[in-house]
Amino acid sequence: MMRGLTVAFVLIAGSAQAGTPLRPLQLEATRTAAAATTARNAQIALHDATLARFVETAPAVEALRQAQDMPANEKTLATAMDQLARVKAAYDAASNRERAGMIASVQAEAAARAARQALTDAVNTWSAEGEALEHAAQRAGSGEVARTARENTACLDQDCSPVSAREHSALVLMGAVGPVFDAKDWPDEAAREMTLLAPSAAATPRLRGLRDAREAATKASQQATTAASTARANFEAPLPNWQARLYGLLESYFHPPKETSVPDAARAFLDFDANVRANAEANRSATQAADAAKAAVTTTEARLNEAVDAFADMGRATRRAALLAGRGNLLRADGTAICLAERCAATSGVEAAAFVVIGAAAPGAELKFANLIEQTPDRGWVFKPPR
């Protein structure tokens, strides 16, 4: 009962305490992320609908353009005016729906962020007592790096804190290193502090490369978003005047007499309408570019997160494998189960590979995990870095 209340509190307050179950938080993060995606897609659809309503004025505007110099053709002019009045009403209704959708999207995004944060806090709390590789993966996921080759510290910008030699070694071998880090200065004995990864990994900073790619994509996305915001503002700014001119045109036609004649009002509206349509096209192009740039950020962020998660999984799997091996368990030669005497329990993936890495596997089991492990020159086994 208390654990359920704790989970409920976490979902509301967005923080995690020791013992908080992760599954409800995962489900909530998944649910709210899906809701946010649905709301965001709905908002995009509503915005597209608004623009579509604007685009739908084109036939009526063209009809008006053809009829403006033919005041005697009252039927043609009346048809154009009726079409403009109908699409204007549809445009107003779509604009109202878009505003409501924007509010719903903002609220859904806020809920998703809170759920994601609650899940992250809980994961960090459960992982607080992990081994050096798992701890180092957590630090790397938060942006911390090994700034120098010999100083056992983990740094976030200018804020550094001491870490163990093994955790520092893990950061180096994962490639969570700063831009001034030089692997040539890393002492040979440091590699022995972390035997789960190949010493040669220090020469190829995996996480730094992924983080650099993410930062480059983020910068490009920010620039594209700024450009899209400018294009949207340029498009939206004249819309009130466009509406006003359209109202003036409709008024001059449906409620004569007016000081401005229908042809004059039509010409004024058409001249202004051409500029608004050019802005609409620029807004569409800029929005597409911004969406593509955001997708690139998502891709690079996912690659970085997947790599960090994979390193953390290696640490967790090693902890469990070491615990079971200490009780006498051995990975079976077919690589599908761990056995203690005649009692066996199924296993697979990283956990099974961890038994090979720590040397608690029957001969031949290593052949099953070529995608997860590699052999060192001294004929030991280490985890392969994630791709």
Side-chain angles (χ1 to χ4, degrees), residues 214-229 290 293-294 297:
R214 180 192 62 181
E215 291 175 356
T218 299
K219 183 177 180 180
S221 178
Q222 291 170 344
Q223 293 172 341
T225 298
T226 299
S229 297
K294 289 178 182 178
V297 172

Side-chain angles (χ1 to χ4, degrees), residues 39-381:
R40 184 164 57 252
N41 290 340
Q43 179 192 353
I44 293 172
L46 290 169
H47 178 64
D48 291 344
T50 301
L51 298 183
R53 300 293 81 76
F54 171 80
V55 172
E56 286 174 1
T57 64
V61 170
E62 181 59 28
L64 175 63
R65 192 186 307 279
Q66 296 175 4
Q68 64 175 320
D69 296 324
M70 297 184 294
N73 192 342
E74 293 296 330
K75 183 176 180 180
T76 302
L77 187 58
T79 299
M81 290 302 181
D82 287 341
Q83 288 176 339
L84 278 175
R86 285 195 298 271
V87 295
K88 180 57 178 66
Y91 177 85
D92 289 343
S95 296
N96 291 334
R97 289 192 295 270
E98 181 185 352
R99 283 191 291 272
M102 183 179 298
I103 294 173
S105 179
V106 169
Q107 292 173 338
E109 287 286 357
R113 285 194 299 271
R116 287 195 300 268
Q117 186 61 54
L119 178 59
T120 299
D121 290 345
V123 169
N124 290 340
T125 301
W126 278 109
S127 301
E129 300 300 323
E131 292 291 333
L133 180 57
E134 185 179 0
H135 282 192
Q138 291 172 350
R139 289 185 179 276
S142 300
E144 295 184 63
V145 299
R147 178 178 294 171
T148 65
R150 294 181 177 273
E151 184 180 359
N152 293 334
T153 58
C155 302
L156 181 62
D157 295 327
Q158 302 302 315
D159 185 14
C160 297
S161 58
V163 297
S164 68
R166 182 165 292 171
E167 191 166 340
H168 180 263
S169 179
L171 287 169
V172 173
L173 294 177
M174 288 190 299
V177 296
V180 299
F181 181 89
D182 190 346
K184 292 184 294 185
D185 295 331
W186 200 45
D188 292 340
E189 63 271 16
R192 291 193 289 270
E193 296 290 340
M194 175 52 60
T195 62
L196 298 177
L197 302 171
S200 59
T204 54
R206 171 68 174 163
L207 291 187
R208 188 176 76 185
L210 292 175
R211 187 173 289 112
D212 289 346
R214 180 192 62 181
E215 291 175 356
T218 299
K219 183 177 180 180
S221 178
Q222 291 170 344
Q223 293 172 341
T225 298
T226 299
S229 297
T230 300
R232 184 181 182 118
N234 291 338
F235 170 48
E236 293 179 346
L239 285 181
N241 287 336
W242 181 85
Q243 292 174 302
R245 289 170 186 258
L246 178 55
Y247 279 131
L249 173 60
L250 295 173
E251 283 290 313
S252 67
Y253 178 78
F254 287 110
H255 301 90
K258 295 291 182 182
E259 294 182 1
T260 303
S261 67
V262 172
D264 289 342
R267 280 190 292 272
F269 170 72
L270 291 171
D271 290 342
F272 196 80
D273 176 83
N275 292 329
V276 175
R277 287 180 196 284
N279 290 341
E281 178 59 25
N283 173 66
R284 185 186 67 81
S285 298
T287 299
Q288 290 177 342
D291 290 343
K294 289 178 182 178
V297 172
T298 300
T299 298
T300 55
E301 182 73 29
R303 290 180 61 203
L304 176 60
N305 289 340
E306 287 169 3
V308 170
D309 290 344
F311 282 121
D313 287 343
M314 294 172 193
R316 283 188 288 268
T318 301
R319 283 198 298 149
R320 175 169 167 77
L323 175 63
L324 293 173
R327 297 174 181 172
N329 288 273
L330 186 73
L331 179 67
R332 205 162 60 187
D334 63 7
T336 63
I338 50 175
C339 299
L340 179 61
E342 298 299 321
R343 293 182 300 172
C344 294
T347 188
S348 62
V350 178
E351 181 180 274
F355 279 89
V356 177
V357 172
I358 66 174
E366 67 277 1
L367 302 177
K368 312 297 182 181
F369 306 103
N371 62 322
L372 295 173
I373 58 176
E374 59 184 338
Q375 198 167 32
T376 60
D378 62 0
R379 303 188 65 80
W381 293 95

